[in-house]
């Protein structure tokens, strides 16, 4: 074994130093704060002084990372070496065609394709043909590699085929800002239609006439989903009719078809309320509200047969219940309880079939799928590991006895099964291939419960290589998120195998702010309870170190977006607990951002963080906002990443944060700031490019933790 030492090369003495310019940020009730780096904000991304600063940060990062290039390259080759390059998805059948996506060796982007159904054609036969390189009978819908050629960033966000299977509509994005353009293609002739619709979200629905497309138009400044419009093929886009406009900026909006394809529905949803309006897909002239919105009442409705089936938290059902209503219902008065609320079970969703219903639910911090049969019988889909993730997969046809579901764990690659609900037969449709000799038996996953400082038990999923000893010497990477009720479930990662093979422990902390333990878990980690998210994460770290999973000076922390807020908070609150912090697209300037309704997402999120125009929330948010709580102390080594075109967490938040951190940090550990000048919130497009970014970040972490490199 050869070892990597700390600080493999001398850190250049002068990292970039952004100039200070006085600027006062005011709150409506009179509070004022100085923000000397506010000038780094440029909504058009054109300010030459700002761009020069970001380029200087990239150059500094290049210099710091240069000695670690061999480690970075080795990590990258390990990661991509585990990926089956000519892989394909599990085909699903819809209206007489089997749809799938596949990758070609050496290509970054997928090919979206389909094959006609017929005798002997099924998911297995198509997968076998794809694996053999036999594409006879395949119809290519979109070759994204050809479409992305010559572009720094490219993504197809959504595509939909008309009900008669002849015309394709798709939405693409060329800079990562999630402002999409809709284009049309005739699948019979290959002709591309002349009309294009710009400034939209990636959400498309065709009406039954095969000519009318419903789409969602964004506000050009805030990118909020504001209007549903409809476009008729062959007519000027400027004449597209307005179908619905949402007046409340705290709501997101989307459109979809019902399970049985009878209805087109417009759904609007805020953090605490939702509303759905639907129209017959055969004649979508008038959209009727199923139940008027009401604060603290959420619902999502699906239709099959002669009834609506609705997931809702109405009537105090904090963990949600399922109710039914007749097809002509327009009021909650018609709702009848079907699957009752339980304090110990959180209902995440459901899928309707003609002969049964599958319910995705969560208990004890783990996902389960419950099958409700027509005769009132029920059963659970089985799992074999103590920590895992299970969920409903693509089930495109309700008239089937087969339920598709997905399964993964920290050691088991993503797996798709289908279960015959009538006979109990289970088929393995696909397990994500992992090349390079990966064997799940060489690794161990476990679930531990960590007492938080207020006595709450926090679930933590762990994975490490078999033979690991809890002797307090190992290096550990701990990941967390803890916002928006998003549950971070244990799933397989091709990147983390490289860490495990170097003797590291990977810990996934299911902290409050997610929904792993039900709705209360979310409520206890938002608004005026937000600090629980941060202290939970710190308490997990301290516990795992005490239990010998890691050395106290060899702990790394990772989080992105709202998880980047978590990283910024723990850096201020407990900098001595972490040797290195990895923070991607971090939300670190909470108060300033939430005071500015012109920034995308702000108005949608008052019920997540609070509205700082109210003093109570202003004071609480100010007490933890990472940018505002930076102070003169020794900070850990940090790797901060962002995308110039990010529309969710604007680039200037981490830019300001790094600039102020450099001013106040009294320690000697390196702080590097990597800015992707072409990408947005999700990083670079293409399946391999993002692994370059991960390899660079992990190389920095391994160096800081003093992790040994395997012998060649």
């Amino acid at each position: 074994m050869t070892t990597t030492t700390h600080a493999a090369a001398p850190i250049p003495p002068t990292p970039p130093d952004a100039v200070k310019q006085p600027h006062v940020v005011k709150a409506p009730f009179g509070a004022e704060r100085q923000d000397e780096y506010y000038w780094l904000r440029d909504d058009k991304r054109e300010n030459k002084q700002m761009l020069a600063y970001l380029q200087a940060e990239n150059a500094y990062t290049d210099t710091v990372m240069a000695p670690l290039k061999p480690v970075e390259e080795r990590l990258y080759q390990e990661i991509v070496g585990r990926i089956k390059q000519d892989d394909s998805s599990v085909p699903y059948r819809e209206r007489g065609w089997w749809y799938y996506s596949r990758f070609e060796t050496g290509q970054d982007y997928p090919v979206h394709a389909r094959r006609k159904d017929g005798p002997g054609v099924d998911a297995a036969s198509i997968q076998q043909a794809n694996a053999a390189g036999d594409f006879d009978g395949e119809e290519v819908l979109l070759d994204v590699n050809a479409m992305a050629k010559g572009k720094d960033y490219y993504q197809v966000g959504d595509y939909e085929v008309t009900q008669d299977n002849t015309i394709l509509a798709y939405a693409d994005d060329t800079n990562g800002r999630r402002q999409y353009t809709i284009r049309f293609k005739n699948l019979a002739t290959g002709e591309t239609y002349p009309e294009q619709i710009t400034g939209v979200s990636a959400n498309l629905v065709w009406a039954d006439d095969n000519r009318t497309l419903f789409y969602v138009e964004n506000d050009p400044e805030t990118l909020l989903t504001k209007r549903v419009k409809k476009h008729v093929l062959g007519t000027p886009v400027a004449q597209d009719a307005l179908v619905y406009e949402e007046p409340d900026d705290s709501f997101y909006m989307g459109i979809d078809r019902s399970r049985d394809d009878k209805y087109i529905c417009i759904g609007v949803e805020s953090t605490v309320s939702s509303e759905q309006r639907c129209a017959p897909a055969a004649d979508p002239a008038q959209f009727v509200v199923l139940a008027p919105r009401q604060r603290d009442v959420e619902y999502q409705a699906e239709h099959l047969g002669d009834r609506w089936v609705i997931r809702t938290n109405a009537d105090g059902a904090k963990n949600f219940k399922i109710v039914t209503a007749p097809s002509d219902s327009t009021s909650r008065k018609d709702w009848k309880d079907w699957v009752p609320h339980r304090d110990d079970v959180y209902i995440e969703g459901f899928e309707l079939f003609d002969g049964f219903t599958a319910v995705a639910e969560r208990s004890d911090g783990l996902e389960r799928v419950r099958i409700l049969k027509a005769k009132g019988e029920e059963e659970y889909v089985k799992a074999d590991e103590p920590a895992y993730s299970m969920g409903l997969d693509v089930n495109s046809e309700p008239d089937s006895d087969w339920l598709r579901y997905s399964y993964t764990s920290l050691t088991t690659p993503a797996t798709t099964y289908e279960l015959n609900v009538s006979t109990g037969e289970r088929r393995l449709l696909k397990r994500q291939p992992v090349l390079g000799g990966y064997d799940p038996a060489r690794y161990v996953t476990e679930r531990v419960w960590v007492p938080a400082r207020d006595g709450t038990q926090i679930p933590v999923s762990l994975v490490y290589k078999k033979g690991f000893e809890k002797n307090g010497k190992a290096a550990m990477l701990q990941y967390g998120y803890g916002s928006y009720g998003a549950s971070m479930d244990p799933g397989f990662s091709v990147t983390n195998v490289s860490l495990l093979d170097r003797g590291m422990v990977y810990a996934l902390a299911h902290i409050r702010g997610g929904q792993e333990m039900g709705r209360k878990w979310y409520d206890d980690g938002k608004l005026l309870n937000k600090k629980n998210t941060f202290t939970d994460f710190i308490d997990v770290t301290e516990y795992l170190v005490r239990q010998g999973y890691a050395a106290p000076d060899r702990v790394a922390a990772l989080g992105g977006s709202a998880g980047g807020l978590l990283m910024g908070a723990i850096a201020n609150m407990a900098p001595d607990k972490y040797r290195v912090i990895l923070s991607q697209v971090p939300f670190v300037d909470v108060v300033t951002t939430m005071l500015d309704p012109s920034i995308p997402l702000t108005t949608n999120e008052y019920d997540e963080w609070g509205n700082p125009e109210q003093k109570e929330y202003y004071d609480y948010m100010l007490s933890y906002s990472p940018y505002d709580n930076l102070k003169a102390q020794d900070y850990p080594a940090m790797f901060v990443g962002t995308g110039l075109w990010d529309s969710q967490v604007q680039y200037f938040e981490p830019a300001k944060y790094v600039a102020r951190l450099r001013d106040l940090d009294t320690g000697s550990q390196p702080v590097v700031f990597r800015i992707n000048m072409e990408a947005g919130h999700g990083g670079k497009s293409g399946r391999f490019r993002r692994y370059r970014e991960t390899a660079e970040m992990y190389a920095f972490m391994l160096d800081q933790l003093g992790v040994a490199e395997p012998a060649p």
Side-chain angles (χ1 to χ4, degrees):
M1 302 284 282
T2 58
T3 58
T4 300
T5 59
H6 291 307
I11 301 302
T14 54
D17 185 16
V19 300
K20 299 181 179 67
Q21 297 182 12
H23 181 88
V24 177
V25 179
K26 299 180 179 180
F29 51 84
E32 295 185 353
R33 292 153 47 244
Q34 278 290 336
D35 187 353
E36 68 277 17
Y37 294 116
Y38 189 90
W39 70 269
L40 285 167
R41 171 177 176 171
D42 176 23
D43 294 337
K44 293 184 178 180
R45 278 74 170 166
E46 295 174 349
N47 183 303
K48 291 182 179 179
Q49 187 179 11
M50 175 273 292
L51 292 172
Y53 168 67
L54 298 186
Q55 289 161 353
E57 286 286 2
N58 273 338
Y60 176 72
T61 298
D62 289 341
T63 304
V64 173
M65 295 301 299
L68 299 177
K69 277 295 180 184
V71 178
E72 176 189 330
E73 183 62 26
R74 184 168 185 169
L75 285 167
Y76 176 75
Q77 294 299 335
E78 288 176 6
I79 293 167
V80 299
R82 298 187 188 104
I83 298 169
K84 188 175 187 296
Q85 295 205 15
D86 57 347
D87 201 11
S88 62
S89 66
V90 180
Y92 65 90
R93 187 175 60 190
E94 190 167 37
R95 297 191 303 276
W97 290 82
W98 289 89
Y99 289 84
Y100 57 90
S101 299
R102 60 176 178 83
F103 283 96
E104 297 177 346
T105 299
Q107 297 296 316
D108 257 328
Y109 299 92
V111 175
H112 300 297
R114 66 179 183 177
R115 296 179 189 244
K116 186 73 173 173
D117 191 23
V121 180
D122 59 15
S125 68
I126 295 172
Q127 286 178 284
Q128 290 170 1
N130 287 344
D134 177 9
F135 304 120
D136 286 347
E138 176 183 84
E139 181 178 298
V140 173
L141 305 175
L142 298 169
D143 182 349
V144 185
N145 296 291
M147 299 157 70
K149 195 169 184 178
K151 299 179 177 67
D152 290 323
Y153 182 96
Y154 189 78
Q155 182 191 39
V156 174
D158 189 21
Y159 68 88
E160 291 292 336
V161 178
T162 51
Q163 294 295 105
D164 67 359
N165 302 311
T166 62
I167 299 172
L168 175 77
Y170 64 95
D172 63 3
D173 173 17
T174 57
N175 67 12
R177 194 158 166 76
R178 303 191 184 187
Q179 277 282 62
Y180 292 85
T181 297
I182 300 173
R183 309 175 199 274
F184 301 90
K185 178 182 177 181
N186 187 306
L187 295 176
T189 66
E191 172 195 1
T192 298
Y193 290 81
E195 56 252 57
Q196 298 179 2
I197 308 171
T198 60
V200 303
S201 68
N203 192 189
L204 315 171
V205 173
W206 287 101
D208 283 356
D209 66 357
N210 305 305
R211 295 183 64 239
T212 303
L213 182 82
F214 289 83
Y215 63 91
V216 180
E217 188 176 69
N218 295 336
D219 181 276
E221 297 299 325
T222 66
L223 305 188
L224 291 172
T225 46
K226 293 296 296 180
R227 290 166 288 277
V228 173
K229 289 186 170 182
K230 63 179 180 180
H231 175 72
V232 179
L233 280 177
T235 66
V237 172
Q239 296 179 10
D240 286 359
L242 176 66
V243 176
Y244 174 73
E245 183 165 10
E246 175 54 47
D248 190 335
D249 283 347
S250 67
F251 281 77
Y252 297 97
M253 180 159 49
I255 49 177
D256 204 356
R257 290 181 74 104
S258 64
R259 176 69 165 150
D260 56 8
D261 272 339
K262 288 183 179 178
Y263 294 92
I264 295 173
C265 295
I266 302 169
V268 296
E269 189 163 322
S270 72
T271 304
V272 297
S273 177
S274 55
E275 183 179 66
Q276 199 163 315
R277 43 182 43 81
C278 301
D283 182 23
Q286 183 176 2
F287 284 78
V288 177
V289 174
L290 297 185
R293 71 186 68 178
Q294 179 179 327
R295 185 171 176 81
D296 297 321
V297 174
E298 301 170 59
Y299 72 91
Q300 299 84 36
E302 272 289 6
H303 192 274
L304 183 65
D306 60 355
R307 67 177 185 174
W308 292 102
V309 179
I310 304 163
R311 171 185 177 265
T312 182
N313 65 350
D315 307 314
K318 290 184 71 68
N319 279 339
F320 288 81
K321 61 182 179 178
I322 299 178
V323 302
T324 63
S327 295
D328 60 355
S329 174
T330 59
S331 168
R332 281 175 51 201
K333 295 177 182 178
D334 301 326
W335 293 4
K336 297 188 182 305
D337 286 2
W338 179 33
V339 180
H341 171 265
R342 286 172 55 180
D343 289 334
D344 60 340
V345 174
Y346 176 76
I347 295 175
E348 289 192 317
F350 61 87
E351 193 79 272
L352 301 175
F353 293 81
D354 291 347
F356 66 97
T357 297
V359 179
E361 59 185 43
R362 184 182 293 278
S363 57
D364 294 327
L366 293 171
E367 296 175 294
R368 301 193 294 178
V369 175
R370 180 166 34 146
I371 299 171
L372 308 178
K373 299 184 179 180
K375 296 181 180 180
E377 303 168 332
E378 64 177 56
E379 63 182 273
Y380 284 93
V381 177
K382 295 180 177 61
D384 303 320
E385 296 172 278
Y388 62 89
S389 177
M390 179 189 294
L392 300 171
D393 206 84
V394 178
N395 290 279
S396 55
E397 298 177 318
D399 58 339
S400 174
D401 289 334
W402 292 92
L403 168 71
R404 282 195 185 183
Y405 67 96
S406 59
Y407 180 91
T408 184
S409 76
L410 293 172
T411 61
T412 303
T415 306
T416 304
Y417 291 107
E418 62 178 3
L419 176 69
N420 190 302
V421 173
S422 297
T423 67
E425 179 186 356
R426 185 176 79 164
R427 297 175 183 162
L428 172 63
L429 296 179
K430 180 183 179 182
R431 176 160 290 154
Q432 174 192 343
V434 183
L435 308 182
Y438 175 78
D439 179 1
R442 296 171 56 203
Y443 308 89
V444 177
T445 182
E446 66 172 304
R447 169 65 64 95
V448 299
W449 295 84
V450 174
R453 61 193 64 184
D454 64 359
T456 302
Q457 295 291 312
I458 311 298
V460 181
S461 300
L462 293 154
V463 64
Y464 41 79
K465 199 168 184 179
K466 188 171 287 186
F468 165 76
E469 295 181 18
K470 292 194 292 182
N471 57 16
K473 297 180 180 180
M476 180 178 74
L477 174 60
Q478 180 177 318
Y479 173 80
Y481 187 74
S483 291
Y484 302 111
S487 298
M488 298 293 108
D489 294 301
F492 181 77
S493 165
V494 294
T495 60
N496 286 343
V497 175
S498 289
L499 307 185
L500 306 182
D501 285 349
R502 286 167 170 79
M504 288 188 66
V505 175
Y506 179 79
L508 173 56
H510 306 286
I511 51 183
R512 282 175 283 187
Q515 239 156 198
E516 288 92 337
M517 298 289 289
R519 181 67 180 215
K520 189 176 187 300
W521 206 247
Y522 176 29
D523 292 340
D524 286 350
K526 69 173 185 175
L527 296 174
L528 299 175
N529 296 319
K530 187 63 210 170
K531 290 182 185 178
N532 285 334
T533 302
F534 316 138
T535 56
D536 283 357
F537 192 90
I538 295 167
D539 293 346
V540 166
T541 302
E542 293 178 337
Y543 176 88
L544 294 177
V545 168
R546 284 199 308 270
Q547 295 299 312
Y549 286 98
D553 60 347
R554 302 188 76 197
V555 178
L558 168 64
S561 195
L565 163 65
L566 170 65
M567 295 299 101
I570 66 167
N572 288 329
M573 297 167 66
D576 58 323
K577 305 296 182 186
Y578 304 95
R579 181 65 177 80
V580 56
I581 290 178
L582 313 174
S583 186
Q584 289 293 331
V585 291
F587 176 42
V588 284
D589 190 14
V590 181
V591 178
T592 303
T593 292
M594 294 303 296
L595 279 171
D596 188 346
S598 73
I599 294 177
L601 304 188
T602 293
T603 53
N604 296 96
E605 300 194 355
Y606 290 145
D607 291 307
E608 177 73 27
W609 312 106
N611 185 344
E613 293 183 7
Q614 301 171 24
K615 190 175 187 303
E616 179 185 27
Y617 288 107
Y618 178 94
D619 290 343
Y620 187 78
M621 295 160 73
L622 188 62
S623 73
Y624 69 74
S625 173
Y627 182 58
D628 294 289
N629 286 278
L630 287 167
K631 59 187 176 184
Q633 63 179 353
D634 290 1
Y635 281 91
M638 288 201 197
F639 189 107
V640 182
T642 194
L644 179 64
W645 294 96
D646 194 336
S647 62
Q648 290 185 258
V649 178
Q650 307 280 326
Y651 76 89
F652 43 80
E653 288 201 38
K656 296 194 307 178
Y657 173 79
V658 169
R660 183 179 281 182
L661 173 64
R662 292 200 194 285
D663 294 338
L664 296 171
D665 186 3
T666 58
S668 58
Q669 301 303 328
V671 174
V672 297
F673 183 28
R674 174 63 79 197
I675 306 97
N676 189 323
M677 303 298 283
E678 295 87 32
H681 197 63
K684 292 183 178 180
S685 60
R687 60 173 172 161
F688 297 126
R689 293 186 187 183
R690 62 191 176 100
Y691 294 129
R692 279 285 181 196
E693 297 175 337
T694 300
E696 181 181 53
M697 180 176 69
Y698 277 5
F700 180 82
M701 174 187 70
L702 293 174
D703 179 58
Q704 293 301 316
L705 296 178
V707 172
E709 274 298 289

